[in-house]
């Protein structure tokens, strides 16, 4: 039996803002966002592009990462992304 993977991901929207979310299928979710079927926040900010993702073994861990990201200021989000993308 295949083990589920849960992803925390960050999108960069067309207006330069960031959107964080979680999913079990990144490609399908990215397509949904770009087709206006994703989160309400991204519907008017297309196209969006995936700039970061991280795999977690449980849904709760992915949701926790999403929540923590969303609590950050814009400056802290940028610092997080720079740090993570350099690794």
């Amino acid at each position: 039996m295949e083990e589920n993977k849960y992803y925390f991901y960050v999108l960069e929207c067309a207006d330069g803002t960031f959107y964080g979310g979680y999913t079990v299928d990144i490609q399908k979710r990215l397509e949904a966002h770009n087709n206006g079927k994703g989160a309400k926040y991204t519907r008017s900010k297309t196209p969006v592009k995936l700039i970061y993702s991280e795999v977690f073994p449980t849904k709760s861990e992915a949701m926790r990462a999403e929540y923590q990201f969303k609590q950050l200021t814009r400056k802290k989000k940028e610092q997080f992304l720079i740090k993570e993308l350099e690794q």
Side-chain angles (χ1 to χ4, degrees):
M1 187 167 155
E2 188 174 319
E3 194 174 305
N4 283 340
K5 292 182 183 175
Y6 300 89
Y7 299 88
F8 159 63
Y9 64 93
V10 178
L11 305 175
E12 183 176 13
C13 300
D15 67 355
T17 59
F18 299 125
Y19 174 80
Y22 79 93
T23 186
V24 293
D25 186 336
I26 289 181
Q27 192 57 43
K28 185 175 178 181
R29 189 70 176 141
L30 182 59
E31 289 173 13
H33 282 293
N34 277 317
N35 290 328
K37 304 287 185 193
K40 186 176 182 180
Y41 182 84
T42 61
R43 287 183 194 153
S44 63
K45 301 172 186 298
T46 57
V48 299
K49 66 179 180 177
L50 179 67
I51 59 171
Y52 177 77
S53 67
E54 188 173 349
V55 179
F56 291 91
T58 67
K59 181 178 176 180
S60 63
E61 288 175 282
M63 291 178 72
R64 188 176 308 116
E66 173 194 11
Y67 176 79
Q68 290 172 340
F69 181 79
K70 288 182 174 182
Q71 300 310 302
L72 300 174
T73 63
R74 168 70 188 210
K75 185 173 180 88
K76 294 283 186 186
K77 287 176 183 176
E78 290 171 348
Q79 291 171 348
F80 168 83
L81 292 167
I82 290 168
K83 179 183 166 199
E84 291 299 318
L85 295 173
E86 287 178 347
Q87 293 181 0

